[in-house]
Amino acid sequence: MTRCILGIDPGASGAIAFFFPDHPERVAVEDMPVAAGEVDAVNLAKRVAAMAPDLVFLERVNAMPGQGVSSTFKFGRAYGVVLGVIGAAAIPLHLVTPAKWKGHLRLSSDKEQARALALRLFPSCGDHFKRKKDHGRAEAALIARYGAEHLRLIGGGA
């Protein structure tokens, strides 16, 4: 039985969310652990170990057209750290494109729309999503929710 799903919006400005299908109104969310502007592998690994998720849904990302070489490299490095932490923890990993999870939840690319949906789906956890800059937290929570719905662990649709 799946007790916990980890949803990850990757990158140094991303977030992690631990979703519990038995309590679909609740989610534990936090910003991606960062040190010196980079994803902090040690603290990410500690959080993952402490929460012991059964599986992970990670947003599959690619280089963005028009993004500079330096920022693309930095983002790729952050994505690699996340993949490494999950791989080292030996947790089953599902990669999901933004089009797939956002389409399932009937979301556009509008970050505010994702934040509004997170506020509706997780009303008792609204403090996690109250600021405009909390869109990464919202997306991580929604990726985890998508995972639970995709696996039919809870009823679905926004």
Side-chain angles (χ1 to χ4, degrees), residues 9-28:
D9 178 24
S13 62
I16 57 176
F18 299 93
F19 178 72
F20 308 91
D22 291 341
H23 302 281
E25 73 289 350
R26 301 203 48 83
V27 65

Side-chain angles (χ1 to χ4, degrees), residues 40-110:
D40 181 346
V42 171
N43 281 316
L44 177 58
K46 285 179 181 177
R47 287 301 296 143
V48 169
M51 297 299 285
D54 301 291
L55 40 106
V56 177
F57 278 80
L58 170 63
E59 187 174 65
R60 179 189 296 263
V61 292
N62 296 303
M64 304 272 280
Q67 194 174 28
V69 173
S70 177
S71 58
T72 299
F73 185 77
K74 185 175 179 180
F75 188 77
R77 195 166 53 236
Y79 191 68
V81 166
V82 171
L83 285 171
V85 166
I86 300 308
I91 303 168
L93 173 65
H94 300 264
L95 298 175
V96 59
T97 64
K100 186 88 166 169
W101 74 263
K102 287 181 180 186
H104 174 81
L105 294 172
R106 298 179 192 89
L107 292 170
S108 69
S109 60
D110 180 5

Side-chain angles (χ1 to χ4, degrees), residues 121-135:
L121 289 175
F122 310 110
S124 62
C125 305
D127 280 356
H128 291 310
F129 315 113
K130 64 184 176 191
R131 302 169 304 170
K132 195 172 181 97
K133 73 177 192 171
D134 291 336
H135 60 81

